[in-house]
Amino acid sequence: MSNPQQLRYSKEHEWLSAAEEGVSTVGITEHAANALGDVVFVDLPAVGDTVTAGETCGELESTKSVSDLYSPVSGEITEVNEDVVNDPSLVNSAPFEGGWLFKVRVGDEPADLLSADEYTAFSAG
């Protein structure tokens, strides 16, 4: 499993892209997708919602369990991935590409996000 170097990671297993014009993309890591098993339902925040770093903003339901989704940053939701809503298996098959979850206009980025190497060590731990 290889975590893309250009992303930052939370200890709750979400990834965050670099901001483009103040907006970052959020998804869950391959490690989290594998731990969840086959994702069958996603509940994402709505466009216009405000999310807070480290707080629950949705749910992922799999054949194994239901898991809370946490936002790695604070900000306003600008887009949700309707493809994932319609086909939740994208979270498993392409967690870093088509399986992204939402985009957020970043208001505040916490200092404790991890690099790819730090996340790899953390998730192996």
Side-chain angles (χ1 to χ4, degrees), residues 70-99:
Y70 297 90
S71 181
V73 293
S74 296
E76 180 182 343
I77 302 300
T78 62
E79 184 180 348
V80 296
N81 187 349
E82 293 296 334
D83 291 341
V84 166
V85 172
N86 295 326
D87 182 5
S89 70
L90 288 171
V91 171
N92 298 103
S93 63
F96 296 114
E97 295 89 26

Side-chain angles (χ1 to χ4, degrees), residues 13-26:
H13 306 286
E14 283 82 24
W15 58 261
L16 177 76
S17 72
E20 293 182 25
E21 297 183 20
V23 176
S24 291
T25 303
V26 174

